[in-house]
Amino acid sequence: MKVIVCGAGQVGLNIARYLAGQKNDVTIIDRSAKLIRKVGEMLDVQALEGHASDPNLLEQAGLGDADMIIAVTISDEVNMVACQIAHSLFNVPTKIARIRNQSYLDPQWSDLFTRDNLPIDVVISPEVEVADAIYRRLEVPGAFDTLPFSDDKVRVLGLRLDEHCPVVDTPLRQLTELFPDLRVRVLAILRGGKLFVPLADDHMEVGDGVYIAVETKHVARAMGVFGHEEEAARRIVVIGGGSVGLNLARRLENRTPRLNVKIIEYDEERAAFVADKMSRTVVIHGDALDPEILREANVSEAETVVAVTNEDEVNILATLLAKQNGCARAVTLINNTVYGPLIDSMGIDVHVDPREMTVSTILRHIRRGRIRDLHSIGDGAAEVIEAEILEASSVAGKNLRQVKFPRGVVVGAITRGSEVIVPRGETVFAPGDRVVVLALTESVKTVEQLFSVHLEFF
């Protein structure tokens, strides 16, 4: 597959790295000579310096015979123009653009991104994705990651294990014996910064991050088995009234009644704007690093503080101050990957990486086979994939033991109609099944092939 990536920032660089690693023909364009040099040093791709909306440069990049353009520059307008040129001049089949300005996404302009107007096939809004991801984490307190699959019949949860976890030091093969009706599959363990797929004789240790697949209606019981019985927050303080904070507050108001939500926003004009959009949420104008403002927001009585300003340092310091003042739990938005490894040692419970979510959304539209959903985890170390089994798939009619899954791949759950199946060795894959699979990055291509339709079917 030939792909043109416009923008060599963190998202563009990671997408190019993923695609090049799987032997795709990738060209990346950016106006920054420094970023283009960095790409050239790190990746085996073609890297061109210049404006991503320049037709001559796009032609030089090979857009004429490209399968896809992914526009993720810092400018929404450049992303839109690049997709328009790809459509009008080069007839590129698939066009993906990141759009951050929420005005473009207003429902009243729903016809904007159509073939007859701005022909963008997939519009990605990081602010909306981040708000949704934080809301999911608030739904399952105690989880540092919450990923829905199969129309939310299955969830993949990321959990941190402490000394109170009942199953620490227990071989995984014994979990079924100890909890015969526990509908959970351990998918991966994050230990010492390394993500790996455990074997049946492996055990979990204090401090591990564990990814599990569980039927959604059994989430509460699974959390208890893994040592987490936190109650959902009823009082939440959101620091930052930007697009993420506003989208999150709207979700909290619309989906969770009788919830006490306060927003702290530094900019007076923005605070007034947000207050006008809210019906029950209290908006406080002020600096979240000011102890008086934190007292006014009553953070000492809040169960959760969520920091989503545009400044990583403000997010980190504000949540630390809130916890010092008695807030039980902290969720922090982090854009700079340098801070990621430090978060746990700081006492922040959950950090959210917008880059990882944007990459996941783009990969959903790149992966081959019958891929219905996909989330990148562990800073790109693995992907959790939901695939649909077609009648001509190589796995259809075979049981789990018969399918030659490579090392680094584990099947977490199968949804068959309304039934969720925790797979065993004798479980047979049937056409129409939706299968949740975790695959380390180096094994993803094999998973794609397994769930693809063979050419001889046609």
Side-chain angles (χ1 to χ4, degrees):
M1 182 166 62
K2 185 169 185 176
V3 183
I4 310 300
V5 179
C6 301
Q10 290 184 356
V11 170
L13 181 63
N14 273 277
I15 286 295
R17 174 167 59 83
Y18 284 5
L19 294 174
Q22 296 191 9
K23 309 305 181 186
N24 293 288
D25 181 357
V26 180
T27 300
I28 190 165
I29 300 170
D30 199 282
R31 62 185 297 183
S32 167
K34 180 179 178 181
L35 288 178
I36 288 299
R37 282 195 302 271
K38 180 180 177 181
V39 170
E41 293 167 0
M42 293 178 62
L43 303 177
D44 183 20
V45 302
Q46 183 182 17
L48 299 177
E49 179 187 348
H51 290 274
S53 56
D54 182 340
N56 291 323
L57 185 63
L58 289 170
E59 182 180 41
Q60 182 187 342
L63 194 60
D65 59 351
D67 300 289
M68 179 181 297
I69 184 172
I70 301 171
V72 287
T73 74
I74 60 173
S75 168
D76 290 350
E77 290 72 25
V78 168
N79 295 340
M80 290 188 284
V81 170
C83 288
Q84 180 71 68
I85 291 171
H87 174 79
S88 300
L89 301 184
F90 298 100
N91 199 29
V92 175
T94 305
K95 301 159 287 291
I96 298 175
R98 179 175 62 183
I99 306 295
R100 307 193 72 162
N101 187 335
Q102 298 299 293
S103 295
Y104 290 122
L105 307 177
D106 193 302
Q108 67 177 316
W109 315 125
S110 59
D111 291 337
L112 178 60
F113 300 112
T114 60
R115 189 175 182 84
D116 293 332
N117 295 313
L118 275 173
I120 301 174
D121 302 294
V122 181
V123 174
I124 298 169
S125 171
E127 287 75 13
V128 173
E129 304 255 351
V130 169
D132 280 338
I134 293 173
Y135 182 83
R136 292 196 302 267
R137 285 160 171 81
L138 295 175
E139 280 187 308
V140 188
F144 64 79
D145 209 349
T146 306
L147 309 173
F149 292 94
S150 300
D151 301 323
D152 205 21
K153 294 185 182 72
V154 175
R155 290 196 183 184
V156 172
L157 307 177
L159 309 173
R160 188 73 59 187
L161 306 187
D162 60 22
E163 62 275 10
H164 304 296
C165 176
V167 294
V168 160
D169 297 327
T170 302
L172 296 184
R173 67 168 67 251
Q174 292 184 14
L175 286 181
T176 303
E177 299 170 17
L178 294 171
F179 306 97
D181 60 341
L182 183 64
R183 303 178 62 76
V184 167
R185 173 62 60 88
V186 175
L187 303 179
I189 295 175
L190 181 61
R191 182 179 298 160
K194 181 177 175 58
L195 188 81
F196 66 94
V197 172
L199 301 176
D201 290 325
D202 288 330
H203 63 273
M204 296 169 286
E205 300 178 359
V206 172
D208 282 352
V210 178
Y211 283 90
I212 65 171
V214 57
E215 188 173 0
T216 299
K217 64 184 180 182
H218 294 297
V219 163
R221 182 160 189 270
M223 293 291 288
V225 168
F226 285 86
H228 289 279
E229 296 183 337
E230 297 90 340
E231 294 185 3
R234 307 304 304 172
R235 294 177 293 274
I236 298 173
V237 176
V238 178
I239 296 172
S243 294
V244 175
L246 179 57
N247 274 292
L248 175 60
R250 280 173 167 166
R251 281 159 179 71
L252 292 170
E253 276 198 353
N254 294 337
R255 302 179 189 176
T256 313
R258 299 185 300 278
L259 195 65
N260 184 315
V261 181
K262 295 184 176 71
I263 297 177
I264 300 175
E265 169 53 41
Y266 182 79
D267 181 85
E268 184 175 5
E269 185 176 340
R270 179 67 185 182
F273 174 82
V274 173
D276 188 55
K277 299 293 183 181
M278 298 286 96
S279 58
R280 292 184 287 109
T281 299
V282 175
V283 180
I284 299 170
H285 166 234
D287 186 352
L289 302 182
D290 183 344
E292 289 298 324
I293 295 296
L294 293 178
R295 276 193 287 273
E296 183 181 345
N298 204 17
V299 295
S300 62
E301 298 297 324
E303 289 94 358
T304 302
V305 61
V306 182
V308 289
T309 76
N310 292 325
E311 301 292 334
D312 289 351
E313 294 79 6
V314 171
N315 292 339
I316 292 169
L317 290 174
T319 49
L320 291 177
L321 283 172
K323 292 202 75 171
Q324 190 179 58
N325 278 273
C327 183
R329 193 159 182 261
V331 180
T332 303
L333 180 66
I334 299 294
N335 288 285
N336 191 335
T337 55
V338 172
Y339 292 122
L342 306 175
I343 293 299
D344 289 339
S345 61
M346 292 179 181
I348 294 171
D349 303 281
V350 178
H351 80 278
V352 178
D353 182 353
R355 175 200 57 167
E356 194 167 81
M357 290 165 203
T358 303
V359 168
S360 294
T361 305
I362 292 171
L363 287 177
R364 269 172 229 152
H365 300 278
I366 292 175
R367 292 289 177 236
R368 296 176 179 176
R370 190 69 170 181
I371 306 301
R372 298 183 64 101
D373 203 353
L374 180 152
H375 291 272
S376 175
I377 64 170
D379 198 22
E383 295 174 20
V384 186
I385 298 167
E386 179 188 335
E388 182 179 350
I389 297 180
L390 301 180
E391 188 174 349
S393 168
S394 63
V395 304
K398 296 181 180 178
N399 66 35
L400 188 56
R401 286 195 184 93
Q402 293 172 315
V403 179
K404 303 300 183 184
F405 286 111
R407 287 288 298 270
V409 175
V410 58
V411 179
I414 299 171
T415 303
R416 185 172 295 160
S418 60
E419 180 187 10
V420 175
I421 302 167
V422 178
R424 309 296 180 202
E426 65 278 5
T427 303
V428 176
F429 295 107
D433 284 353
R434 292 163 69 170
V435 184
V436 177
V437 179
L438 181 140
L440 298 181
T441 301
E442 59 268 21
S443 301
V444 166
K445 201 169 190 67
T446 304
V447 172
E448 286 182 9
Q449 293 167 349
L450 285 170
F451 290 101
S452 294
V453 176
H454 291 303
L455 290 176
E456 54 263 30
F457 176 70
F458 302 98

